Amino acid sequence: MSFFVGIDVSSSDFKVRILDERGNEPVKKLRVLNDKPGCEQIARYLSDACAKEKIDRLVIGLEATSVYSWPLQMFLAEDHSLAPLQPKIYSFNPKVVANFKKAYVDLPKNDWIDAWVIAERLRFGRLPEGSQVDFRYLPLQRLTRFRCHLIDMISREKNYFLTNLFLKFSTLAQGAVFSNTFGATSESLTLEFFSPEEVAARPLDELIDFLMEKGRSHFEDPEAKARELKEAARKAHRLRGSLLQPINLILATSIETIHTLEKQVKKIDKAIEAEIRHFPNTLITIPGIGPVLSAGIIAEIGDIRRFPNEGALAKFIGLTWRSHQSGNFTADDTPLTRTGNTYLRSYIIQAANLVRQKEPEYKAFYQRKFSESKTHHHRRALVLTARKLVRMVDALLRSNQIYMPHGNRGNVS
């Protein structure tokens, strides 16, 4: 006999409802605070209910609502009083619960109903592959997701910097002089010169010396670059003097913020490198996939054995397509399901873009799909290449073998 437990989670409390195999509610619902005593109270509540009704199987479900459910999930998985029941804990994508709820057209919207819907979804069965929590991978997952957070912050800060740089030195922001606006020479120019007028007025020899010093003699023709810089300064928009002072302060502060965030990324990379050593990592042998990207993929997949096959893994990622057919009509354009793990989908697509540049088999596949696409050629070809890469990732993680190029696979003894 089984109990199905639905828990609605918020930052302040938990709301718990239990259903039996017939859909009846054998015990009263429970509300507790989202803290350690609350977790202990839920464990006692479940243990007592199972003992009273002679239940030997416990299935628990929650929505994946940020990190607010993590302490409860870990507590219930490790609680000794629940151990004989071997609780299975599922963390649902909110879309899964929301779509299931649509079948009950007359349900109101409140937290108690949401807890009931989660329990009913567990009772229904056919649970999504990979929705069961594996706590071993959570430290690595937190690190890799935080790295994504830092990269997003850097991207936003750079975009904000460029908008202010356009006000000060429009042609420099447009990339008219330097290929990398955030290179050492470009940043030094931004910080050390008050305005484009000052650059335009500076003698050519002094600009050449500046470029040689800041560019560390990397410019092939520093004189030509200096002339190009003076011309860009001459063409740049002009600001009122009262605006330049605050704009320069903003730019200096923004550059400092970017550098600080980049230093934090390096620290996190070292922590990821240390944490990934606890797990087999043969993905790093695939051309183009480095230690950080492979760590992100492993952190989100967890134990590959929780997926029965690579098709289930692709569904978990969200790299599947729904057919659209009615009568004699079949749609040519079928969009991605996009109900899977967004972090993992991003990692796999990034990896596919790198692998197709280095591995001939994937390069040829990408080019073939690119030529076959009628619209959005690169995006379609890249997503299809990512789906192909899922098969490789699944195979390597299951076999724990290193990647072998296509021509050498038959030579392995």
Side-chain angles (χ1 to χ4, degrees):
M1 295 292 292
S2 302
F3 268 174
F4 304 96
V5 184
I7 305 177
D8 182 82
V9 179
S10 73
S11 60
S12 58
D13 65 11
F14 301 116
K15 294 181 177 67
V16 187
R17 297 184 73 168
I18 298 176
L19 298 180
D20 62 19
E21 292 181 347
R22 295 184 177 181
N24 299 318
E25 201 161 3
V27 295
K28 292 182 179 180
K29 56 192 177 184
L30 174 71
R31 176 190 176 276
V32 297
L33 296 179
N34 190 342
D35 54 21
K36 187 172 181 292
C39 294
E40 294 171 346
Q41 191 174 347
I42 290 176
R44 289 195 301 270
Y45 167 77
L46 296 178
S47 180
D48 293 344
C50 290
K52 179 181 178 181
E53 301 294 330
K54 297 181 180 181
I55 298 298
D56 54 15
R57 179 172 175 263
L58 194 61
V59 186
I60 303 170
L62 318 91
E63 283 188 340
T65 51
S66 186
V67 298
Y68 301 128
S69 65
W70 279 27
L72 177 62
Q73 292 177 33
M74 289 184 278
F75 186 91
L76 295 179
E78 298 169 356
D79 185 75
H80 296 297
S81 66
L82 298 179
L85 300 168
Q86 299 181 333
K88 291 187 175 181
I89 303 174
Y90 291 87
S91 180
F92 288 115
N93 184 319
K95 288 184 179 180
V96 172
V97 178
N99 288 334
F100 182 78
K101 185 179 179 181
K102 291 177 181 178
Y104 300 88
V105 294
D106 58 344
L107 288 180
K109 173 68 177 86
N110 62 62
D111 294 342
W112 288 114
I113 291 297
D114 291 344
W116 181 88
V117 171
I118 294 171
E120 181 71 355
R121 179 65 185 86
L122 293 171
R123 192 177 73 89
F124 178 78
R126 296 179 179 269
L127 300 175
E129 302 290 351
S131 59
Q132 197 166 354
V133 181
D134 192 333
F135 300 102
R136 294 173 298 168
Y137 294 86
L138 290 184
L140 181 61
Q141 189 186 88
R142 291 313 298 166
L143 288 170
T144 52
R145 289 190 178 189
F146 182 62
R147 187 184 190 277
C148 290
H149 173 69
L150 290 176
I151 295 299
D152 287 343
M153 291 176 66
I154 291 173
S155 178
R156 288 196 299 269
E157 190 63 35
K158 283 186 174 182
N159 287 333
Y160 189 74
F161 173 88
L162 289 173
T163 60
N164 285 283
L165 181 61
F166 183 86
L167 294 177
K168 174 182 177 176
F169 203 141
S170 57
T171 48
L172 190 64
Q174 293 168 340
V177 183
F178 303 109
S179 58
N180 181 11
T181 309
F182 296 94
T185 308
S186 181
E187 286 187 358
S188 297
L189 183 74
T190 301
L191 296 176
E192 297 182 24
F193 287 85
F194 186 77
S195 66
E197 292 93 331
E198 184 179 343
V199 176
R202 189 65 61 93
L204 186 63
D205 291 343
E206 291 187 17
L207 283 181
I208 293 173
D209 292 341
F210 175 85
L211 293 174
M212 291 292 289
E213 176 189 354
K214 303 301 180 181
R216 298 181 181 179
S217 302
H218 288 167
F219 294 109
E220 294 182 1
D221 190 346
E223 181 178 348
K225 184 61 67 175
R227 293 184 184 279
E228 186 180 350
L229 180 57
K230 286 179 72 70
E231 179 66 11
R234 186 186 65 81
K235 292 180 178 179
H237 294 300
R238 298 295 188 261
L239 278 184
R240 293 177 178 272
S242 59
L243 275 175
L244 278 169
Q245 189 70 35
I247 291 296
N248 278 318
L249 176 60
I250 291 170
L251 290 171
T253 305
S254 186
I255 286 177
E256 185 177 349
T257 301
I258 292 169
H259 289 171
T260 300
L261 291 171
E262 289 173 341
K263 289 179 182 177
Q264 297 303 317
V265 169
K266 291 180 180 179
K267 288 183 180 180
I268 295 298
D269 285 348
K270 290 181 180 179
I272 290 173
E273 184 179 351
E275 186 64 31
I276 192 62
R277 292 172 186 164
H278 298 145
F279 307 99
N281 182 10
T282 57
L283 300 185
I284 198 172
T285 63
I286 302 176
I289 299 183
V292 172
L293 194 54
S294 62
I297 294 172
I298 290 172
E300 299 300 331
I301 291 177
D303 188 345
I304 191 63
R305 291 171 295 182
R306 65 188 179 131
F307 301 99
N309 50 54
E310 57 90 17
L313 175 59
K315 187 175 181 180
F316 176 74
I317 297 171
L319 285 176
T320 55
W321 292 262
R322 294 191 185 93
S323 62
H324 186 185
Q325 182 270 335
S326 179
N328 295 325
F329 170 77
T330 301
D332 293 327
D333 192 1
T334 54
L336 278 175
T337 53
R338 294 185 180 276
T339 56
N341 185 307
T342 55
Y343 286 96
L344 184 52
R345 185 164 60 248
S346 175
Y347 294 147
I348 291 291
I349 291 175
Q350 289 179 56
N353 194 39
L354 294 169
V355 172
R356 63 103 180 171
Q357 298 175 41
K358 295 181 177 292
E359 175 55 47
E361 177 187 353
Y362 283 82
K363 181 178 181 180
F365 180 86
Y366 168 85
Q367 291 176 338
R368 184 168 70 253
K369 296 303 177 182
F370 187 97
S371 62
E372 292 173 357
S373 300
K374 297 179 181 179
T375 57
H376 311 298
H377 301 276
H378 170 69
R379 187 170 64 186
R380 289 174 179 268
L382 185 59
V383 169
L384 290 169
T385 306
R387 178 61 183 87
K388 176 180 172 65
L389 183 63
V390 170
R391 291 190 284 272
M392 177 62 68
V393 168
D394 180 82
L396 294 186
L397 291 179
R398 289 186 193 279
S399 64
N400 197 27
Q401 294 181 350
I402 65 172
Y403 174 76
M404 297 293 292
H406 182 70
N408 298 336
R409 293 171 195 166
N411 300 328
V412 179
S413 57

